[in-house]
Amino acid sequence: MARVVKVFRTLRNHWKKSTLAACVLSYGGYWLYGKHCDSVLRREACQLARVSFLHNNIFEILNQNQLHKPLSVVAPKANNLFEKNAAPILHLAGVEITVVKTDYEGQAKKLMELMEQTDMLIVAGGDGTLQEVITGLLRRPDQEAFSSTPIGFIPLGSHNSLSPSLHFLSDNKVKDITAATLSILKGETVPVDVLQIKGEKEQPVFALIGLRWGAFRDVAAKISKYWYLGPLKTNAAHWFHTLKEWPLVHDVSVSLLAPRPRPPDLDPQRPPRPNLLHRIIRRLKNYWSPPAAEPLKPEEPEKWEEQQLSTPELYIQTHNKNPAERRINDSLMICAEPGNKTVGEFISVGNKKVKDPTLFTENSTKLEASVCRLTLPEGAAGFYNIDNEEYEAVPVEVRLLPRKLRFFISAERREELISQPQ
């Protein structure tokens, strides 16, 4: 008992050192526990990968052409995360991949333009790497042949906008990476829309999420400059922006083509081939009485509809937030915030848009189109955000390429998306 009293007396006499030691030990224990949990997640994922080696849908894709290995493109900053969390799972599942590690921004785009045929493409990175891969892929002259290649996305970047549409997300980065890698091994895919964004002079840029322009985008790009304000930096950035310019409303001209009806989904299974006698009779019938050729229908001129919008924020986006949704029309969405906001409403809405840029208020203007042309006001300078990547704001034409690419998706996530109300 005397020894216990002595220990407590020592802790009381040196309370500053005791407090510091308690804090360091608590943080160290929490850090070690997190590392242990990450190790358990990796071990469980590797065990599932070993099981999938025996019976797995992904090998049906790979066995169609044994000459080409799957290609993996890894962002520069994501190399360690990929090697530690994703590569062992693919290796244990028996998937032999060719890993290409990019060294600088824009390299993935050039690699896609020179890439040879592959059975599967894995993108390990964030929005920037994914957009470079998609743009390089769809700029190819033979892009029709490559657009059918299934693509797996492993979220390793600071922004992973498409990931919530493909996998369940959590607060644990390791869990998100392993879940995305396992969904690739299961082989279930979903078609996604692509936006082709083309200026007057530049080559087209392709996006999976959308194009964003306006005051909220400009403020979001400056929030990091106010890091010293801590939790108040978002409010401060929006308030300081209103001091420099108010009102934050710009007139924008948008020309639209109406949405197009969505064609029915094709049956992935081929119908059985008729027997030889049936094929001979059909050929003889077509030879003696060939079917009459259908007259060519004259092409109808495109009917453009022009809209004048006054808005602080314009967002042209796809429906890829729910790629499994069954829709009647193939269309892109044009959302414009109302311009009658007070300073307080601007700050409040801006705080919500930092977490979800696709969020719009109930009284926002929402239009649907298959193609739109965006004309900015004269003298308007600024930048677009195209899938969270910054581009100079110029007049552009945005065209929807419906169901252009196929991405691997978690089966559980797909079921949840299908069950959501239309």
Side-chain angles (χ1 to χ4, degrees):
M1 186 65 183
R3 183 175 297 178
V4 175
V5 173
K6 184 178 180 180
V7 170
F8 276 103
R9 185 180 293 116
T10 303
L11 294 176
R12 185 189 62 183
N13 294 338
H14 303 279
W15 64 272
K16 293 182 180 179
K17 296 179 181 179
S18 302
T19 304
L20 178 61
C23 293
V24 172
L25 289 174
S26 300
Y27 179 79
Y30 179 77
W31 181 81
L32 289 174
Y33 178 72
K35 291 294 180 181
H36 170 71
C37 292
D38 292 345
S39 179
V40 170
L41 288 172
R42 296 188 191 99
R43 188 183 304 114
E44 292 177 351
C46 288
Q47 290 173 352
L48 291 173
R50 291 180 64 184
V51 173
S52 68
F53 179 79
L54 300 176
H55 42 278
N56 197 321
N57 293 334
I58 191 65
F59 297 103
E60 297 178 5
I61 299 175
L62 299 182
N63 289 335
Q64 292 175 2
N65 192 342
Q66 295 289 347
L67 300 178
H68 311 296
K69 294 181 181 179
L71 177 68
S72 177
V73 180
V74 184
K77 297 180 181 178
N79 184 23
N80 292 335
L81 287 172
F82 178 80
E83 292 291 342
K84 196 170 185 179
N85 301 295
I89 299 174
L90 296 171
H91 176 71
L92 285 172
V95 181
E96 187 179 356
I97 59 174
T98 302
V99 180
V100 179
K101 301 172 184 177
T102 57
D103 297 322
Y104 55 87
E105 184 178 349
Q107 186 181 11
K109 195 182 303 180
K110 296 179 181 178
L111 288 172
M112 290 299 102
E113 294 174 356
L114 303 174
M115 180 184 69
E116 296 180 355
Q117 184 66 45
T118 181
D119 295 314
M120 180 175 64
L121 186 61
I122 299 175
V123 182
D127 286 345
T129 306
L130 184 60
Q131 192 207 54
E132 285 186 19
V133 169
I134 299 306
T135 298
L137 197 68
L138 296 180
R139 281 182 181 176
R140 296 175 61 106
D142 55 350
Q143 54 89 13
E144 287 294 339
F146 280 82
S147 60
S148 60
T149 302
I151 301 174
F153 179 49
I154 301 177
L156 303 180
S158 55
H159 294 93
N160 308 290
S161 302
L162 188 64
S163 192
S165 304
L166 304 176
H167 328 105
F168 288 111
L169 295 184
S170 65
D171 296 332
N172 190 308
K173 188 77 172 178
V174 175
K175 187 175 182 180
D176 295 341
I177 296 171
T178 55
T181 309
L182 289 173
S183 69
I184 294 173
L185 298 178
K186 293 177 181 177
E188 187 163 348
T189 61
V190 66
V192 299
D193 297 339
V194 178
L195 293 182
Q196 176 184 285
I197 304 169
K198 193 175 188 307
E200 296 178 354
K201 300 179 181 179
E202 301 294 332
Q203 284 188 298
V205 175
F206 297 88
L208 295 170
I209 304 301
L211 178 148
R212 186 185 183 192
W213 175 79
F216 291 109
R217 188 225 72 90
D218 297 339
V219 175
K222 300 176 182 177
I223 290 176
S224 59
K225 296 181 179 180
Y226 301 98
W227 59 268
Y228 50 85
L229 295 178
L232 300 177
K233 62 182 178 182
T234 303
N235 289 333
H238 286 85
W239 184 60
F240 289 147
H241 194 78
T242 60
L243 296 179
K244 296 178 182 178
E245 181 183 358
W246 189 262
L248 298 169
V249 179
H250 298 284
D251 296 327
V252 184
S253 175
V254 181
S255 301
L256 312 172
L257 278 181
R260 296 175 180 174
R262 185 167 191 165
D265 295 330
L266 298 176
D267 189 357
Q269 296 182 353
R270 287 186 174 183
R273 190 179 184 186
N275 57 44
L276 179 61
L277 180 61
H278 184 275
R279 297 199 305 271
I280 293 175
I281 295 174
R282 185 176 58 186
R283 290 199 174 200
L284 291 174
K285 182 179 179 181
N286 291 337
Y287 177 77
W288 293 108
S289 58
E294 295 183 1
L296 295 176
K297 296 181 180 180
E299 294 186 0
E300 296 183 1
E302 295 180 336
K303 298 180 180 179
W304 289 89
E305 177 186 353
E306 188 170 352
Q307 295 273 351
Q308 298 293 333
L309 303 175
S310 296
T311 177
E313 173 92 343
L314 185 72
Y315 205 135
I316 304 173
Q317 57 184 319
T318 64
H319 289 273
N320 288 339
K321 199 168 185 179
N322 185 353
E325 180 184 7
R326 296 182 177 90
R327 301 191 300 273
I328 300 175
N329 295 325
D330 283 325
S331 64
L332 54 85
M333 294 187 296
I334 304 168
C335 303
E337 283 283 357
N340 55 349
K341 293 186 182 298
T342 63
V343 174
E345 290 173 341
F346 178 78
I347 296 174
S348 176
V349 174
N351 273 279
K352 297 177 182 178
K353 283 183 173 289
V354 169
K355 300 177 182 178
D356 184 7
T358 62
L359 182 67
F360 277 80
T361 54
E362 294 182 358
N363 53 347
S364 301
T365 301
K366 297 181 180 180
L367 306 171
E368 291 194 357
S370 59
V371 186
C372 76
R373 291 172 180 168
L374 179 62
T375 304
L376 302 179
E378 293 184 4
F383 295 91
Y384 294 136
N385 260 21
I386 301 178
D387 282 4
N388 287 316
E389 293 296 305
E390 197 172 84
Y391 290 83
E392 183 180 358
V394 295
V396 292
E397 179 183 275
V398 184
R399 182 178 296 271
L400 180 74
L401 306 178
R403 296 182 287 182
K404 184 66 175 177
L405 301 172
R406 297 194 70 86
F407 275 76
F408 289 105
I409 185 173
S410 165
E412 296 80 8
R413 181 58 175 156
R414 184 192 186 106
E415 291 299 324
E416 185 186 45
L417 292 174
I418 292 176
S419 62
Q420 289 181 0
Q422 301 293 326

